[in-house]
Amino acid sequence: MSVGIVSYGAYIPKYRIKVEDIARVWGDDADILSAGLMVNEKSVPDLDEDTATIAVEAARSAVARNNIDPKRIGAVYTGSESHPYAVKPTSTIVAEAIEATPAMTAADFEFACKAGTAAIQACMGLVSSGMVDLGMAIGADVSQGAPGDALEYTAAAGGVSYIIGNKESEMVAVIEDTYSFTTDTPDFWRREGMPYPEHGGRFTGEPGYFKHVSGAAKGLMEKMGTSPSDYDNAVFHQPNGKFPSRVAKMLGFSKEQIKPGLVVPRLGNTYSGSCMMGIAATLDQAKPGDRIFATAFGSGAGGDAFSLRVTDKIDEIRDAAPTVEGLLADPIYMDYAMYAKHKGKIRLA
């Protein structure tokens, strides 16, 4: 039985801060940082925005884009590493907001930046088995970076929702196959009650990102008997612009193949929404018959790879909800003081 993406929706806050404005506060060289990270600015949540509100907006866009009856959605899973509650699911808030309750199941997922794609795989299983008609998988974050930490230059806010189903007539993209590569690698973590994450610098690159992204990507291509030349576009997790560009080259994908989905220079790293946002940006401009290769990464650590084939349905629904490019347009810029206020970095003893 085929399974695929029936609809999708994204949300990005309007506020932005430029790398140079953060660097000015900490005495860093903005030009070196921007060139090294390949990030120029990042999104910032409004004062009343969190992972739940962002997930709701993305979910509503996904429902609207293909005119989905919410009562058909039998599972809502939200992946994030910044859920607003330690004990209280984000997914029930989303399900209630889109009027999918009560005959459905819900749960929150955590696996650093690939919690959203893990949710996609769970929905694939439920839909394929016939347990639910449609499943909704969301990746959303208002990611954290300690003041002055390297993460502060890229940790951004945004979310993406995918509705997964098994009726080919409804699919905008068939998920041809998926493959995961997972180990216990301590590259990034945040204990309960800690306001900001910590990271083991020497583990974040080769042992973390590159080992798991290339492992998942190669595993899927070997499983399917495909190669980079079989795909029109490719998307890789975007903690910055440098890592996905490098891993694409390592695997044999070209700059042209990753260009449509490489949104991190103007957005920053939306963590659980990162790879999923790149897929959405690619779907926004894909043509029927295009094949998309995508690999998400989550610290801790693991990679989820997917092979997608775009259908004729994409042209019917593409413009029925905001595109990623539209969400990136017309940003409102803020200085560091306003950014610190929005992010709750000013704390009273």
Side-chain angles (χ1 to χ4, degrees):
M1 178 184 291
S2 295
V3 61
I5 298 167
V6 170
S7 192
Y8 67 99
Y11 177 76
I12 299 168
K14 294 291 284 186
Y15 290 97
R16 308 281 192 279
I17 185 169
K18 292 181 178 291
V19 165
E20 62 193 62
D21 289 321
I22 301 174
R24 186 180 299 116
V25 170
W26 301 110
D28 293 329
D29 190 314
D31 291 337
I32 291 175
L33 283 165
S34 291
L37 295 170
M38 294 174 62
V39 175
N40 300 314
E41 60 193 56
K42 68 171 190 172
S43 60
V44 181
D46 204 348
L47 291 167
D48 60 351
E49 291 183 318
D50 61 13
T51 292
T53 66
I54 287 172
V56 166
E57 291 299 321
R60 285 173 170 164
S61 284
V63 168
R65 179 169 257 124
N66 202 0
N67 194 27
I68 300 296
D69 177 2
K71 294 301 182 185
R72 293 180 59 198
I73 299 172
V76 175
Y77 296 141
T78 305
S80 180
E81 59 183 74
S82 54
H83 289 288
Y85 297 99
V87 181
K88 163 72 177 83
T90 301
S91 296
T92 54
I93 299 172
V94 175
E96 200 73 61
I98 63 171
E99 300 183 353
T101 56
M104 43 81 68
T105 184
D108 287 355
F109 279 43
E110 291 185 8
F111 196 138
C113 297
K114 81 167 191 74
T117 53
I120 289 176
Q121 290 176 326
C123 286
M124 288 172 64
L126 287 174
V127 166
S128 295
S129 72
M131 284 183 65
V132 303
D133 183 6
L134 299 173
M136 175 176 280
I138 302 168
D141 261 303
V142 285
S143 48
Q144 307 296 324
D149 189 279
L151 292 174
E152 192 175 32
Y153 290 100
T154 56
V160 190
S161 172
Y162 286 93
I163 297 176
I164 308 299
N166 61 12
K167 297 177 178 63
E168 288 204 35
S169 62
E170 294 182 328
M171 295 180 199
V172 299
V174 176
I175 301 175
E176 297 177 314
D177 212 337
T178 184
Y179 182 94
S180 294
F181 183 97
T182 311
T183 73
D184 183 25
T185 301
D187 57 323
F188 180 94
W189 64 92
R190 179 168 62 85
R191 286 188 178 275
E192 183 70 30
M194 288 174 58
Y196 302 112
E198 298 182 45
H199 48 97
R202 66 191 180 93
F203 289 100
T204 58
E206 297 299 337
Y209 183 95
F210 292 101
K211 176 180 178 179
H212 294 81
V213 171
S214 61
K218 289 177 180 176
L220 181 56
M221 285 188 281
E222 288 173 6
K223 180 182 178 184
M224 295 183 64
T226 57
S227 66
S229 62
D230 293 315
Y231 296 93
D232 299 277
N233 297 113
V235 179
F236 300 98
H237 172 56
Q238 304 170 33
N240 49 52
K242 184 177 181 180
F243 277 24
S245 299
R246 180 180 161 192
V247 82
K249 185 177 181 180
M250 288 168 55
L251 291 166
F253 291 92
S254 68
K255 290 181 180 179
E256 290 70 29
Q257 285 171 297
I258 67 170
K259 184 178 179 181
L262 194 63
V263 295
V264 67
R266 292 186 291 157
L267 174 61
N269 181 9
T270 52
Y271 283 40
S272 296
S274 176
C275 181
M276 294 170 72
M277 190 74 73
I279 296 171
T282 304
L283 286 173
D284 284 341
Q285 48 191 292
K287 302 185 297 295
D290 281 358
R291 295 180 80 188
I292 302 168
F293 190 86
T295 308
F297 169 73
S299 291
D304 296 333
F306 299 84
S307 180
L308 310 174
R309 176 174 49 80
V310 182
T311 74
D312 295 342
K313 186 75 174 178
I314 191 70
D315 289 334
E316 296 179 31
I317 73 164
R318 192 192 327 259
D319 299 324
T323 63
V324 174
E325 185 61 36
L327 292 165
L328 286 169
D330 303 317
I332 301 170
Y333 290 102
M334 58 174 59
D335 60 17
Y336 191 89
M338 187 59 70
Y339 160 74
K341 179 181 178 181
H342 274 237
K343 292 293 291 178
K345 292 177 182 284
I346 302 170
R347 298 173 182 270
L348 299 176

